[in-house]
Amino acid sequence: MFGLFARSPECHILEIEMKDATTLSRIHGEAFARQWGDGEFASLISQASVFGYIACPEGWARDRAAGFVLCREAAGEAEILSIAVSSRSRRAGLGWRLMRNAIQEAVRRGAEEVFLEVDETNVAAVALYKRLDFVKVGERRGYYANGDAGRTTALVMRRDLR
């Protein structure tokens, strides 16, 4: 049900604010083995070089946001620090919308390229990044700890913004 709703214009993409730190931590915890705490998010959000967006369905409180992307831009390079969509809202186009907004803001801030790291086993995320014209430029073997699955490789991906 929510997935169809999320593709409609009623799901707003809003700039991240300090008050969103706890919400970001909750969503991050649903998506990753090691959850970042709200203090970690607050520390990042407080930095002038960090920006991001939340996906918030119309009529829902901000603290019920369905996803987020958090980025940093410095010296002409942008980095996707984290992106996550809550389990109930996946496969609804939110990751695409969040990434498009992040890329547009990176360009606005003067970035000429954007980087990210993604677990090679996260097939849906890798496919999304490829559709957004990211290309693999490196690997970090054993980078992610995935519980019983052991350690997996991080793909380093890049997109030219020029």
Side-chain angles (χ1 to χ4, degrees):
M1 178 181 99
F2 180 77
L4 295 174
F5 180 72
R7 288 183 189 259
S8 73
E10 290 85 20
C11 189
H12 300 286
I13 306 299
L14 308 170
E15 287 187 40
I16 285 177
E17 299 176 5
M18 186 61 73
K19 64 184 176 184
D20 298 319
T22 300
T23 301
L24 303 183
S25 178
R26 173 188 51 81
I27 297 168
H28 192 273
E30 288 182 33
F32 298 101
R34 190 191 90 60
Q35 179 176 356
W36 293 359
D38 55 344
E40 291 170 283
F41 278 106
S43 176
L44 286 167
I45 295 167
S46 71
Q47 299 173 30
S49 62
V50 174
F51 61 96
Y53 299 92
I54 60 170
C56 194
E58 186 174 312
W60 291 27
R62 281 182 83 100
D63 65 355
R64 296 203 52 220
F68 75 89
V69 62
L70 192 65
C71 314
R72 179 184 357 239
E73 187 281 326
E77 287 185 1
E79 176 186 9
I80 305 300
L81 299 172
S82 187
I83 178 172
V85 175
S86 68
S87 57
R88 72 182 187 280
S89 303
R90 292 187 184 139
R91 306 206 49 83
L94 292 182
W96 173 269
R97 291 181 65 191
L98 288 162
M99 286 294 293
R100 294 295 304 159
N101 277 270
I103 289 167
Q104 289 170 357
E105 179 62 15
V107 168
R108 191 190 73 71
R109 289 175 176 240
E112 296 180 1
E113 56 192 355
V114 61
F115 291 88
L116 60 82
E117 294 167 346
V118 59
D119 189 325
E120 68 179 351
T121 66
N122 189 341
V123 177
V126 172
L128 169 65
Y129 302 141
K130 286 181 178 178
R131 283 193 315 272
L132 288 164
D133 298 324
F134 281 83
V135 295
K136 178 182 155 189
V137 294
E139 292 183 353
R140 295 187 178 164
R141 297 202 181 278
Y143 188 76
Y144 292 108
N146 285 330
D148 295 338
R151 299 193 73 79
T152 57
T153 297
L155 303 179
V156 179
M157 301 184 81
R158 175 189 176 277
R159 177 182 165 168
D160 187 6
L161 300 177
R162 291 171 276 180

